[in-house]
Amino acid sequence: MFSWLGTDDRRKKEPEVFQTVSDGLKKLYKTKLLPLEESYKFHEFHSPALEDADFDNKPMVLLVGQYSTGKTSFIRYLLEQDFPGMRIGPEPTTDSFIAVMHGDTEGVVPGNALVVDPKKPFRKLNAFGNAFLNRFVCAQLPNPVLESISVIDTPGILSGEKQRISRGYDFAAVLEWFAERVDRIILLFDAHKLDISDEFSEVIKALKNHEDKIRVVLNKADQIETQQLMRVYGALMWSLGKIVNTPEVIRVYIGSFWSHPLLIPDNRKLFEAEEQDLFKDIQSLPRNAALRKLNDLIKRARLAKVHAYIISSLKKEMPSVFGKENKKKELIGSLGDIYKRIEREHQISPGDFPNLKKMQDQLQAQDLTKFQPLKPKLLESVDDMLANDIAGLMVLVRQEETQRPNPVVKGGAFDGTLDGPFGHGYGEGAGEGIDEAEWVVARDKPAYDEIFYTLSPVNGKVTGANAKKEMVKSKLPNTVLGKIWKLADIDKDGMLDDEEFALANHLIKVKLEGHELPPELPAHLVPPSKRKIPE
């Protein structure tokens, strides 16, 4: 067990011992950040207070997309089993938020029961009222994938006339609440439905400030030809570029995420490679969970500081007796100027400020005279947390990573391609010929031998200088050719015999075909004469 000692020299307290990152985050939040949030009504403007379950819960993946883009099928594909409350169809079938979590027995927990369970991170969702809670359930089931992560399925985002029908609760606000707390947000698009409706656009804008968590999946890509797929991909990137205001290009994974045969199998290899990349991203979530919670707490602390400056500035400008309403209207109207003044006075980045229009709307319902003036001690406490305490927790994060085995998501679809002939890249590149009795290089050895004997071999071997003249014709960089040389020169004598030369040329071919070189020479590529005879 390891610990991090934190001391407060000013108050001469006993050193605090944090056994885990989770314990440290809870303590720092309650003692340093929460008092600032409560003093300046942060929870009324931005986000409800965090609870212990928010720091203890497993990594969560939020699925968002229009109806019939394959969100529920995607979860079914990952788990490789049905979950309670699951409904799949071409029409808008999932009309609820479903938290798919691990449980010893299968069952469904309704929303009103979920928000009173202190072990679940959903207690603050009661603020969205019964209209939402009646549309929120938790599906529990024993599944190895859910031992490491939880998945949140959402109602299909509506388009056309459907989006004019009110849901009875603020859909975008609920998604924003989840976005703050999840580790990954997956936006699903159907290759046949790329239009981004008003509701979808509103949802993506609500995910602002969480772009680092967003991944995009272009699903059902097996239903269109390669040429069409290129056009669809370009159209999707164009549509996203108009809504997601980031200079970087969002990562889009292309594939068909269900267990049915591919309709058009032309791009099978592309789909397999994209699936593996997405799976690796999801599998890394448990390893990075502590770091993500730490990062989210820092983001929250920065926003809370800015919020405190805004609220205290408004309080300072308000008259104590007459003309309160007129002054309130004037201050709300000139909030942009107040932002700029705070930005200059406190050297705060413009990106740390809350949305101006949303803040102005929220201030309309507030009594500005009841706001608190600036309390330097509360701000100093948060500054101290950001400058010193967080650095200590960062050390503890690294310690935890080295102390425990590498945690990855296992089970379900994640195990389907790990080993055996259906593993990604099996039998390709350097893996070609892995199951064959004959040495795979022998197929092309006659051609390589012709070149070998033109290089003036001495005692059956060519020198490094002569081999280099031939190898550089591949136009591969010297770093790559150097690695090929190390793999091919099995007896490490600085020369190549005919088998080693053939092997070097085979590895050059592997690289030129776009495959990666192995870190060590696989047993099936070792020339027959160099293989050790088992005793």
Side-chain angles (χ1 to χ4, degrees):
M1 194 64 78
F2 33 78
S3 63
W4 166 58
L5 299 179
T7 57
D8 190 334
D9 294 326
R10 289 171 305 215
R11 299 182 186 176
K12 302 294 180 188
K13 283 187 178 179
E14 287 296 311
E16 294 181 77
V17 179
F18 294 146
Q19 300 296 334
T20 63
V21 175
S22 179
D23 286 342
L25 289 171
K26 282 186 240 178
K27 190 71 180 276
L28 288 178
Y29 176 70
K30 287 175 184 173
T31 58
K32 299 199 170 182
L33 185 53
L34 186 58
L36 181 75
E37 292 182 355
E38 289 176 336
S39 184
Y40 295 101
K41 299 187 175 183
F42 180 87
H43 308 138
E44 292 181 33
F45 284 85
H46 302 290
S47 174
L50 299 177
E51 299 196 325
D52 287 354
D54 291 309
F55 298 104
D56 293 332
N57 69 313
K58 295 170 188 170
M60 292 194 288
V61 178
L62 178 69
L63 296 181
V64 182
Q66 293 182 190
Y67 70 91
S68 192
T69 52
K71 297 185 296 298
T72 308
S73 297
F74 182 86
I75 301 174
R76 170 72 181 77
Y77 183 67
L78 290 186
L79 304 183
E80 291 188 343
Q81 77 177 90
D82 293 348
F83 57 88
M86 183 184 94
R87 287 171 62 210
I88 295 174
E91 75 282 7
T93 47
T94 303
D95 62 347
S96 302
F97 282 81
I98 304 177
V100 186
M101 308 182 85
H102 187 268
D104 294 331
T105 56
E106 282 198 23
V108 173
V109 182
N112 283 291
L114 268 179
V115 295
V116 295
D117 185 349
K119 293 181 181 178
K120 295 279 193 296
F122 305 123
R123 281 161 61 96
K124 296 297 181 181
L125 281 169
N126 60 3
F128 294 103
N130 268 330
F132 166 71
L133 295 178
N134 291 336
R135 290 275 178 267
F136 179 45
V137 296
C138 175
Q140 294 185 321
L141 67 155
N143 185 283
V145 173
L146 299 175
E147 290 176 9
S148 306
I149 59 171
S150 301
V151 188
I152 312 295
D153 193 10
T154 60
I157 292 167
L158 305 175
S159 59
E161 287 295 317
K162 299 186 195 78
Q163 66 191 354
R164 298 184 186 179
I165 303 166
S166 173
R167 292 182 184 269
Y169 60 91
D170 191 337
F171 182 67
V174 173
L175 281 178
E176 190 174 356
W177 186 94
F178 275 109
E180 287 178 9
R181 288 157 177 79
V182 300
D183 297 70
R184 189 65 75 239
I185 302 164
I186 297 180
L187 297 181
L188 276 102
F189 288 87
D190 184 333
H192 291 99
K193 279 201 297 243
L194 287 186
D195 58 307
I196 297 179
S197 64
D198 293 345
E199 189 175 46
F200 203 177
S201 178
E202 186 186 341
V203 163
I204 294 175
K205 285 173 183 171
L207 302 178
K208 192 178 185 298
N209 300 325
H210 304 289
E211 287 92 348
D212 56 321
K213 298 179 181 179
I214 295 177
R215 303 290 182 270
V216 176
V217 169
L218 180 57
N219 201 12
K220 305 184 183 180
D222 64 316
Q223 298 178 11
I224 52 178
E225 302 280 353
T226 304
Q227 189 178 10
Q228 288 177 304
L229 183 58
M230 289 172 63
R231 290 176 182 156
V232 166
Y233 180 81
L236 175 60
M237 297 302 286
W238 181 80
S239 299
L240 286 171
K242 292 201 299 180
I243 298 172
V244 183
N245 297 317
T246 57
E248 301 86 11
V249 176
I250 280 189
R251 176 70 162 96
V252 176
Y253 298 91
I254 304 169
S256 178
F257 295 92
W258 65 347
S259 52
H260 293 245
L262 298 176
L263 290 180
I264 302 172
D266 299 4
N267 297 305
R268 185 187 185 101
K269 281 193 175 181
L270 170 67
F271 298 158
E272 287 174 357
E274 293 283 282
E275 181 182 283
Q276 287 302 310
D277 286 352
L278 180 59
F279 281 7
K280 282 177 187 172
D281 186 66
I282 295 172
Q283 284 182 300
S284 71
L285 295 180
R287 187 173 64 250
N288 299 324
L291 207 54
R292 193 275 303 169
K293 287 169 186 167
L294 192 63
N295 184 53
D296 282 356
L297 188 70
I298 295 168
K299 281 201 285 190
R300 188 181 178 98
R302 290 166 71 95
L303 178 60
K305 274 183 62 184
V306 173
H307 180 77
Y309 286 130
I310 295 168
I311 296 300
S312 58
S313 292
L314 293 170
K315 169 68 176 176
K316 190 178 176 182
E317 299 287 334
M318 283 297 288
S320 54
V321 185
F322 300 112
K324 292 178 184 177
E325 277 304 311
N326 288 336
K327 188 63 178 177
K328 175 181 173 180
K329 287 177 185 175
E330 181 191 324
L331 287 172
I332 292 173
S334 62
L335 189 61
D337 296 328
I338 294 171
Y339 275 20
K340 288 175 184 172
R341 191 179 74 240
I342 294 169
E343 189 184 320
R344 284 193 310 271
E345 287 177 6
H346 301 284
Q347 288 82 50
I348 295 170
S349 166
D352 287 350
F353 284 82
N355 180 276
L356 179 63
K357 177 73 171 66
K358 186 178 175 184
M359 193 73 176
Q360 287 172 323
D361 292 343
Q362 288 173 317
L363 285 169
Q364 299 286 356
Q366 296 286 336
D367 183 352
L368 273 57
T369 59
K370 292 184 179 177
F371 285 173
Q372 294 291 324
L374 197 64
K375 296 179 181 176
K377 281 191 176 180
L378 289 178
L379 285 161
E380 283 169 15
S381 183
V382 173
D383 284 335
D384 178 58
M385 179 188 88
L386 291 171
N388 302 313
D389 299 322
I390 294 294
L393 276 181
M394 281 295 294
V395 174
L396 189 54
V397 167
R398 298 302 173 209
Q399 284 181 343
E400 282 193 359
E401 284 179 355
T402 55
Q403 292 280 337
R404 65 185 180 194
N406 189 15
V408 294
V409 183
K410 294 179 180 175
F414 297 100
D415 286 352
T417 59
L418 279 182
D419 302 306
F422 295 98
H424 180 60
Y426 187 91
E428 299 173 6
E432 185 185 355
I434 191 169
D435 294 328
E436 297 176 20
E438 186 185 353
W439 188 39
V440 67
V441 183
R443 296 176 194 165
D444 300 315
K445 192 169 180 296
Y448 299 144
D449 282 347
E450 286 182 22
I451 302 168
F452 178 80
Y453 288 110
T454 65
L455 299 175
S456 309
V458 178
N459 297 326
K461 296 193 173 188
V462 294
T463 61
N466 285 343
K468 179 181 176 182
K469 290 175 187 174
E470 182 61 31
M471 291 172 71
V472 294
K473 290 179 183 176
S474 66
K475 299 181 183 177
L476 288 170
N478 282 349
T479 50
V480 175
L481 293 174
K483 185 173 182 181
I484 289 172
W485 176 272
K486 286 179 183 175
L487 291 171
D489 185 14
I490 293 166
D491 52 16
K492 309 300 178 194
D493 62 353
M495 304 176 82
L496 299 181
D497 62 21
D498 61 324
E499 287 183 328
E500 291 172 330
F501 182 77
L503 174 59
N505 279 278
H506 178 77
L507 292 172
I508 286 172
K509 186 179 85 166
V510 165
K511 188 63 183 172
L512 289 175
E513 288 174 351
H515 302 285
E516 290 301 315
L517 294 171
E520 294 179 357
L521 193 67
H524 72 279
L525 287 183
V526 177
S529 65
K530 305 283 193 302
R531 293 174 188 173
K532 292 179 181 177
I533 300 170
E535 296 178 5

